[in-house]
Amino acid sequence: SYHQTEPDMKYLGKVDKSVNGDYVQPDSPGDYLTSEYKVTYVSDADIKNQNIGEWIQNLLLVLWVLGIMLFLLFVVIRYQLQKKKLLRWSRPLANVDISRIENNVANKIGLKKVPPMYQCHLVRSPLMMGVISPKMLIPQEEYSEQELELIFYHELMHIKRKDIPVKALMILVHAIYWFYPLIYLMRREMDKDMEFLCDEAVVKCINGESRVM
């Protein structure tokens, strides 16, 4: 097999294999200089190895893209099923006193819009659900006013700090690097750090109020 290029008279370390301007079969693969062209001879084994290499690269690319699609599909389906289940067994929390506490906490941390609240017996601890229109779900228990304030401080601080979009972005990064084992550990540790930083921000906010008072 031959590859012909534009004239190049640079010596390439191989002897001239042309005879009266006609190319002859080289003795071994490599670059050969003729009076008009540089001719590269590639053995059949080299072509076969190159084809195998390209096939492996294409296969890995397909597997990578397929892994991303399956990962995101799994995450979306699981999230939608969980959301549908929780909202099915939730009821809106329409209580004037509780709404007043939530609005007071939102004003203190500088949050203009508060999410709707729901009570659900399936959740064990308060949580936020949704990226674009988050909803707050709290267990179906009786809470004191102080306990409600702490719950609202923590959950609303997640919205204030943009933790929910960051988690969604991390899921996308996880999908891209699904094949990298440490990404699972990194995501878990990031979730822990977010909770710690959120609690720290709440403590600073409460302490700041105490000093003002």
Side-chain angles (χ1 to χ4, degrees), residues 124-186:
R124 297 182 178 179
S125 60
L127 58 88
M128 299 296 300
M129 175 169 288
V131 178
I132 300 177
S133 299
K135 298 176 178 60
M136 185 188 303
L137 273 65
I138 62 176
Q140 199 166 356
E141 300 177 5
E142 295 294 332
Y143 294 99
S144 65
E145 182 173 341
Q146 185 177 8
E147 289 174 334
L148 286 173
E149 281 188 352
L150 293 176
I151 290 174
F152 293 148
Y153 264 117
H154 182 89
E155 300 303 328
L156 295 180
M157 190 63 72
H158 278 305
I159 299 179
K160 175 70 175 180
R161 289 171 37 84
K162 312 295 184 185
D163 287 342
I164 300 176
V166 171
K167 284 187 176 183
L169 180 61
M170 187 60 189
I171 292 176
L172 181 59
V173 174
H174 191 171
I176 296 175
Y177 294 96
W178 60 265
F179 57 89
Y180 187 52
L182 291 181
I183 195 68
Y184 298 87
L185 178 62
M186 292 170 59

Side-chain angles (χ1 to χ4, degrees), residues 11-153:
Y11 181 68
L12 302 173
K14 297 286 186 179
V15 297
D16 191 345
K17 287 292 181 177
S18 64
V19 178
N20 296 326
D22 297 328
Y23 302 129
V24 298
Q25 181 72 15
D27 296 329
S28 61
D31 294 333
Y32 295 86
L33 186 66
T34 70
S35 57
E36 295 181 357
Y37 296 98
K38 180 180 72 176
V39 178
T40 300
Y41 168 66
V42 182
S43 67
D44 293 337
D46 290 337
I47 295 177
K48 183 178 180 181
N49 291 336
Q50 182 179 3
N51 291 338
I52 293 175
E54 292 177 354
W55 182 83
I56 293 176
Q57 289 180 353
N58 292 333
L59 177 63
L60 292 177
L61 178 61
V62 170
L63 291 176
W64 176 60
V65 174
L66 184 61
I68 294 175
M69 295 174 62
L70 291 177
F71 183 92
L72 292 177
L73 183 63
F74 172 77
V75 170
V76 170
I77 292 178
R78 185 181 64 174
Y79 170 76
Q80 291 297 332
L81 290 176
Q82 183 184 28
K83 180 180 178 181
K84 183 178 180 180
K85 179 181 178 180
L86 292 179
L87 292 180
R88 179 183 178 185
W89 295 100
S90 300
R91 61 179 181 86
L93 191 58
N95 185 291
V96 177
D97 293 331
I98 294 179
S99 297
R100 175 182 54 81
I101 297 173
E102 183 187 26
N103 289 325
N104 288 339
V105 172
N107 291 332
K108 291 176 182 178
I109 66 175
L111 191 64
K112 296 181 180 180
K113 185 178 179 180
V114 296
M117 292 179 293
Y118 294 83
Q119 273 192 323
C120 179
H121 70 277
L122 297 179
V123 297
R124 297 182 178 179
S125 60
L127 58 88
M128 299 296 300
M129 175 169 288
V131 178
I132 300 177
S133 299
K135 298 176 178 60
M136 185 188 303
L137 273 65
I138 62 176
Q140 199 166 356
E141 300 177 5
E142 295 294 332
Y143 294 99
S144 65
E145 182 173 341
Q146 185 177 8
E147 289 174 334
L148 286 173
E149 281 188 352
L150 293 176
I151 290 174
F152 293 148
Y153 264 117

